[in-house]
Amino acid sequence: MIPKIILGKGARATRRLIGYLYGPGSANEHTDAHLVASWNGFAPDPGRSPHRNLKDVEDQLAAQLDQPVKMLGDKAPTTTVWHCPVRAAPEDPILTDAQWADIARRIVAAAGIAPDGDDEASRWVAVRHADDHIHIAATLVRQDGRRPRRDHDIRAVQREARTIEADLGLRRLNPGDGTAAKRPTSKEHFKAKRQGQDTTTREILRMRVRRAVAAASTETEFFAVLEATGVTVRPKTGPSGGVLGYSVALPGDLNKHGEPVWFSGSTLAGDLSLPKIRHRLTATTPEPAAARPADPWHQATAATERIPHHLTQGSDHIAQGQLVALGETLDLLPLTAPATARTELERAAALFERATRSRITADLDSTRVLRRSVQTILRTPTATRDGAGLAMLLDAALIAVAFAKHWHRTHQHAQQEAAAQQALVHLQTAYAHVAVPVLDDLASRTPGIQTKHRYARHLQQTVPEHADRILQDPAWDALTTTLADAETAGHNPATLLDQALGQRTLDDARNPARALTWRIHRLGQRHAPSPLAQAAMARSTTRLPATPVHPPTATPTAVQQPQVRGR
């Protein structure tokens, strides 16, 4: 159940709201509008009145609601209307008028509009014009002339909604922490539907702004990237000529006056205001590129593989920064993906956006490598053609998102945890679209039986606890091809296997051969050591056991590693 508080200003705010509630709606979606409850139990109901002129009854209802406001004359507040739509989930049963009436009374009491037993409280009505929701309209002057005490009414109403869900057996929504981006309004949804769009303008702009932030290194570049995506940008300048903020609009998205519909960055999401964007760009300014730049796919994958370590062993501020960087990576990956995976990646990014924000301040200093490497992928045309590189990065991202879900759970971030879980489902589907063709191609070039037996023997000697799982994994043939390619390039396959097995435990890998394939792929593309160096490595100490990324089990706060399906 979703309540949403909207405040109205102006002398005719109440009358306009009543007219909307009893009108046909912007898409003729209002049917059988009628009162289900009111402050006194017998307020005039335009929807059930035998009066021939509906407008007269609407005027009468608005006048009765406004009477305490009019009594104050010039001392009346500017904001006079409290409007709260309350909507049930699509899968909820259709509630009766009596049930909606009880819900309305509980909501206005929780908000401080009309506390239980207070005969001098504000006047209010609850109008139902659809099966799944009601609208509560109240005036913000009590009948005794005072203002209602509605401190923190948004949080109070949300808490009451969670209780109502439990009492009526409705779908239980996750409690929030006030960091979610503003939802599209019903009006915006209906407008998108009329225009044949699945997504509202607000959501389209939010994603494009997020992508521009992720792709840019400077403020100037941010605005340039944004305009290149087809967004109209209107800077807000101060008296000195400096840019204080910005608004964005989509070409062709006009209001009833034929003017562009503008959204400021802060109304798209709290972290998309210009000051917040400036801080992020400053905090993650890329370091100078190395003289011999590494493969950006490998750099991005290595940085993503470190995210679970940061989430389990770093500070909360560093962990939150890693979630921001992971979200930016997911925002940009659809631009590098084949058409078969693009839609699923876009859905994963849109869902994970909720998991990137909490009330914990993000330390972004450790995210520079991941940010720079993903930007390099976008700016290097040949880099985006590497299907193995994308599959490798997605494999690491799957683990990172699973750990993000677990991190939010331990911090009791219910909405963020749910968002990470939903994103994980789409990410797994996208991964399959990308990885399967690459793995099939590798498997088609599998080496001879003797070579495969040699690799299998080494596995059984070094990791007997995982050898059977690896050998029975469908990706075993692809792994042997990757090892054989590396051996042809001059690498020692046994050494590469040791290094890959030592990078990270395979305990949480559903498909260990597939995970090793991507690790070997990265290691095998490095410059092969000389025979002398290989001999020295062979005489070195045996491989250290893989270090788990979760805290030791002896620690009271130790957590179990989340399982990642589909890997």
Side-chain angles (χ1 to χ4, degrees):
M1 179 164 290
I2 302 174
K4 182 179 180 180
I5 296 174
I6 306 165
L7 301 180
K9 299 180 180 180
R12 290 183 54 80
T14 303
R15 182 62 185 86
R16 287 196 301 270
L17 178 57
I18 294 300
Y20 166 75
L21 297 181
Y22 281 94
S26 56
N28 294 316
E29 72 277 13
H30 297 176
T31 59
D32 189 25
H34 61 280
L35 283 185
V36 294
S38 67
W39 77 95
N40 58 6
F42 49 85
D45 181 4
R48 294 289 185 267
S49 173
H51 200 290
R52 293 183 179 180
N53 192 335
L54 176 64
K55 299 298 183 184
D56 289 346
V57 186
E58 291 179 2
D59 290 341
Q60 184 182 3
L61 176 58
Q64 289 193 18
L65 285 169
D66 267 342
Q67 187 176 20
V69 178
K70 301 300 184 183
M71 291 286 290
L72 293 182
D74 295 339
K75 296 182 179 179
T78 303
T79 302
T80 58
V81 173
W82 188 90
H83 174 204
C84 183
V86 185
R87 186 179 299 273
E91 62 268 33
D92 285 339
I94 296 177
L95 302 178
T96 65
D97 281 356
Q99 288 174 313
W100 277 120
D102 181 61
I103 290 170
R105 295 186 189 98
R106 293 175 64 169
I107 291 293
V108 294
I113 295 293
D116 291 334
D118 187 347
D119 295 333
E120 298 297 322
S122 296
R123 296 185 175 188
W124 61 274
V125 294
V127 179
R128 183 179 188 180
H129 55 209
D131 286 338
D132 63 347
H133 71 278
I134 60 171
H135 289 258
I136 304 172
T139 44
L140 291 176
V141 175
R142 291 166 47 88
Q143 296 182 78
D144 58 12
R146 294 183 294 141
R147 308 282 182 85
R149 297 188 61 179
R150 53 184 191 88
D151 299 336
H152 309 294
D153 57 347
I154 295 177
R155 295 183 187 178
V157 164
Q158 292 292 343
R159 285 196 299 268
E160 185 63 25
R162 303 294 82 75
T163 304
I164 292 170
E165 290 163 359
D167 292 345
L168 297 184
L170 306 178
R171 176 186 172 186
R172 304 287 293 275
L173 298 185
N174 294 312
D177 58 2
T179 61
K182 185 177 180 180
R183 296 174 180 270
T185 64
S186 297
K187 185 177 180 180
E188 291 170 358
H189 276 299
F190 286 126
K191 183 177 181 180
K193 186 177 180 180
R194 289 197 309 272
Q195 296 175 343
Q197 299 175 178
D198 295 331
T199 310
T200 65
T201 297
R202 180 187 299 274
E203 293 167 311
I204 293 171
L205 288 171
R206 183 185 299 142
M207 177 51 69
R208 293 191 186 181
V209 173
R210 283 179 59 85
R211 281 181 175 168
V213 175
S217 299
T218 65
E219 182 179 331
T220 301
E221 189 176 5
F222 160 69
F223 284 121
V225 171
L226 198 52
E227 290 178 338
T229 63
V231 174
T232 305
V233 181
R234 183 176 65 181
K236 177 184 177 182
T237 57
S240 63
V243 179
L244 304 178
Y246 71 100
S247 297
V248 290
L250 284 181
D253 183 43
L254 308 175
N255 59 23
K256 61 182 180 181
H257 304 295
E259 302 167 337
V261 179
W262 295 99
F263 294 83
S264 66
S266 59
T267 60
L268 295 177
D271 57 350
L272 296 181
S273 66
L274 187 57
K276 295 287 182 65
I277 290 173
R278 282 173 173 161
H279 171 71
R280 195 187 306 185
L281 294 175
T282 302
T284 57
T285 299
E287 300 170 353
R292 295 179 60 185
D295 185 304
W297 288 109
H298 294 182
Q299 281 193 321
T301 302
T304 305
E305 286 180 337
R306 289 192 289 271
I307 291 177
H309 173 83
H310 290 300
L311 292 177
T312 54
Q313 298 189 26
S315 70
D316 283 348
H317 300 294
I318 290 176
Q320 179 61 42
Q322 294 294 315
L323 295 177
V324 171
L326 179 57
E328 289 184 340
T329 301
L330 295 180
D331 286 340
L332 295 179
L333 281 184
L335 304 179
T336 73
T340 54
R342 196 170 300 141
T343 298
E344 292 297 326
L345 284 175
E346 288 174 343
R347 290 173 179 168
L351 288 165
F352 192 76
E353 179 252 0
R354 180 66 189 98
T356 64
R357 277 181 273 104
S358 73
R359 292 196 173 275
I360 298 171
T361 303
D363 182 344
L364 300 170
D365 190 60
S366 62
T367 67
R368 297 173 189 267
V369 173
L370 179 55
R371 183 179 177 84
R372 181 185 66 219
S373 55
V374 176
Q375 289 176 347
T376 302
I377 289 170
L378 287 179
R379 295 167 183 170
T380 309
T382 56
T384 59
R385 301 172 188 168
D386 189 350
L390 178 58
M392 180 174 59
L393 179 53
L394 287 176
D395 183 70
L398 278 169
I399 303 173
V401 171
F403 272 83
K405 171 190 170 184
H406 186 71
W407 185 83
H408 282 305
R409 180 189 304 157
T410 61
H411 287 74
Q412 298 182 345
H413 298 162
Q415 290 186 358
Q416 291 90 329
E417 178 191 349
Q421 172 57 38
Q422 292 169 338
L424 195 60
V425 173
H426 292 286
L427 202 59
Q428 288 167 339
T429 304
Y431 173 81
H433 285 306
V434 174
V436 169
V438 178
L439 293 170
D440 287 347
D441 178 67
L442 290 171
S444 68
R445 299 187 289 108
T446 186
I449 191 67
Q450 292 185 344
T451 302
K452 293 174 69 174
H453 283 329
R454 176 160 53 89
Y455 297 155
R457 284 196 301 272
H458 184 76
L459 280 172
Q460 291 164 342
Q461 292 170 359
T462 53
V463 281
E465 69 276 18
H466 293 299
D468 288 343
R469 292 179 59 218
I470 295 171
L471 295 175
Q472 294 171 13
D473 192 317
W476 166 240
D477 284 345
L479 174 58
T480 59
T481 301
T482 306
L483 283 167
D485 289 345
E487 188 171 14
T488 301
H491 289 276
N492 184 319
T495 302
L496 284 184
L497 272 173
D498 284 346
Q499 292 175 348
L501 290 165
Q503 282 183 347
R504 192 171 175 278
T505 179
L506 291 173
D507 292 340
D508 64 343
R510 186 179 180 90
N511 300 97
R514 197 160 64 186
L516 284 175
T517 297
W518 308 131
R519 297 182 197 179
I520 298 293
H521 175 78
R522 283 170 51 205
L523 294 169
Q525 290 194 5
R526 296 176 181 175
H527 183 68
S530 66
L532 185 62
Q534 290 189 24
M537 286 188 289
R539 293 193 300 268
S540 64
T541 56
T542 57
R543 177 177 62 85
L544 293 175
T547 304
V549 297
H550 56 75
T553 54
T555 305
T557 58
V559 297
Q560 296 298 317
Q561 293 193 41
Q563 294 296 314
V564 185
R565 300 193 173 204
R567 291 188 62 244

